[in-house]
Amino acid sequence: MTIEEVHLWRGTPEQQALRSQFAKTTQFAYFDEQLDHPDWPGKRVLDFGGNKGNLLLDPACAIRHQDYYGLDVIGEAIDEGRRMFPDAHFIHYDRYNCSFNPEGVRDLPVPDPGVEFDFILAYSVFTHMTLEEMTDLIAQLQERLARGGVLAFTFIDPHWNGNFRWRLEKRNSADRVEKLLAQSRDARWCSLVNGTELYANSSGAWDSQVEDCVTYNVYYTEEFMREQFPNGTIKKPVNNEMQHCWIKR
Ligand SMILES: C[S@@+](CC[C@H](N)C(=O)[O-])C[C@H]1O[C@@H](n2cnc3c(N)ncnc32)[C@H](O)[C@@H]1O
């Protein structure tokens, strides 16, 4: 079975034991490139959905730890971040997420850490929640920017560079992959629940009392994102990554 981030926190004990082996460390380089190499030192950064502070794992990360604010719905990840980066700030945000925090509080407002941010970054966060959740959160995050601040988040275009095929191939037979690709061929956005259940142009449906560790992946075309969030610009993936970047300066 393919391990996704959610399994490292909510999966079986065997899956959780793999946590330290699965740390992705390319997020800083990704945003640095997409944002044209900003002068990071001294800039306050909110890493929205930052998990345990993966952005800081890159030795080249130029964000000062005291200026870093990591916010996430997984309490354990926040605890781990605090242990690993004692000078940084970590905030637990106990908001409902169908996959990462199904016991969380629905519609909980984004906490106010009492500072405004020069950068708000979200890597692969809105790729795991409904369009409604994302729209609400993006509106709230824009309110947290300092004057001249930048909000940047990633999304995945299903039709770009075989992105959706790659995801489907993780959990489906070759025949089923072709069938699901045909069903999603003209979709402007789509979601995939548990790696196998496709919802085209829809956020999908799931049981709110989820016992299994549900994965939830959502995909938007560049054109759809431009229409939904017209006040930003969109950049194609860089550094061989799969994710597009939406940026509001
Ligand atoms: C795929 S992980 C990416 C983590 C991190 N950004 C990284 O690049 O390593 C998605 C993260 O988003 C977090 N998340 C999901 N819904 C959230 C929400 N409403 N608010 C904040 N974080 C959320 C999850 O708990 C998880 O840590």
Side-chain angles (χ1 to χ4, degrees):
M1 181 187 178
T2 312
I3 299 283
E4 294 190 41
E5 185 70 40
V6 68
H7 298 117
L8 302 177
W9 302 94
R10 294 196 49 240
T12 61
E14 291 75 24
Q15 289 170 334
Q16 295 194 29
L18 297 172
R19 212 179 274 169
S20 57
Q21 295 173 31
F22 277 82
K24 180 174 162 70
T25 59
T26 58
Q27 297 90 329
F28 174 75
Y30 174 90
F31 282 121
D32 190 48
E33 178 78 25
Q34 294 289 26
L35 299 174
D36 303 321
H37 311 290
D39 187 16
W40 295 102
K43 301 292 187 328
R44 282 194 174 131
V45 176
L46 174 63
D47 189 7
F48 186 76
N51 201 269
K52 59 183 189 304
N54 295 338
L55 202 60
L56 299 178
L57 289 175
D58 181 346
C61 179
I63 301 165
R64 295 192 320 197
H65 289 194
Q66 64 264 40
D67 298 323
Y68 174 91
Y69 292 71
L71 189 150
D72 205 280
V73 298
I74 306 174
E76 258 188 284
I78 291 298
D79 292 342
E80 205 156 314
R82 284 190 185 125
R83 272 195 299 276
M84 289 166 65
F85 306 108
D87 293 334
H89 310 263
F90 284 91
I91 303 153
H92 183 215
Y93 176 27
D94 193 18
R95 178 167 171 141
Y96 167 87
N97 176 286
C98 60
S99 167
F100 286 91
N101 196 21
E103 312 296 333
V105 182
R106 289 188 189 252
D107 302 325
L108 190 69
V110 175
D112 181 2
V115 293
E116 293 182 326
F117 295 100
D118 301 299
F119 293 96
I120 299 180
L121 311 175
Y123 188 96
S124 197
V125 179
F126 299 123
T127 50
H128 300 285
M129 66 179 72
T130 63
L131 180 60
E132 293 76 17
E133 285 277 305
M134 164 166 146
T135 306
D136 172 34
L137 288 167
I138 287 170
Q140 292 193 49
L141 290 175
Q142 294 190 43
E143 302 293 313
R144 298 300 161 89
L145 286 172
R147 181 185 276 266
V150 176
L151 169 63
F153 66 83
T154 66
F155 67 94
I156 306 182
D157 184 326
H159 309 306
W160 193 84
N161 211 15
N163 274 345
F164 200 46
R165 173 183 287 279
W166 178 86
R167 170 62 62 199
L168 291 173
E169 284 177 346
K170 304 263 179 207
R171 292 285 297 275
N172 299 277
S173 66
D175 282 359
R176 188 158 163 80
V177 167
E178 296 311 322
K179 193 172 153 216
L180 293 175
L181 281 176
Q183 284 171 17
S184 58
R185 184 149 296 132
D186 300 321
R188 304 178 70 227
W189 64 293
C190 57
S191 56
L192 194 64
V193 177
N194 285 335
T196 56
E197 251 174 79
L198 169 73
Y199 296 86
N201 297 318
S202 160
S203 277
W206 53 86
D207 189 77
S208 57
Q209 296 304 313
V210 191
E211 270 114 43
D212 295 331
C213 197
V214 169
T215 64
Y216 181 74
N217 294 280
V218 63
Y219 295 77
Y220 304 106
T221 62
E222 196 178 323
E223 183 198 26
F224 181 79
M225 286 299 283
R226 202 168 282 119
E227 282 173 25
Q228 290 291 310
F229 302 100
N231 62 342
T233 54
I234 291 174
K235 287 193 171 178
K236 295 262 190 288
V238 290
N239 301 350
N240 292 321
E241 303 235 9
M242 311 173 96
Q243 312 216 7
H244 280 65
C245 195
W246 183 95
I247 303 168
K248 174 165 185 270
R249 290 182 187 276

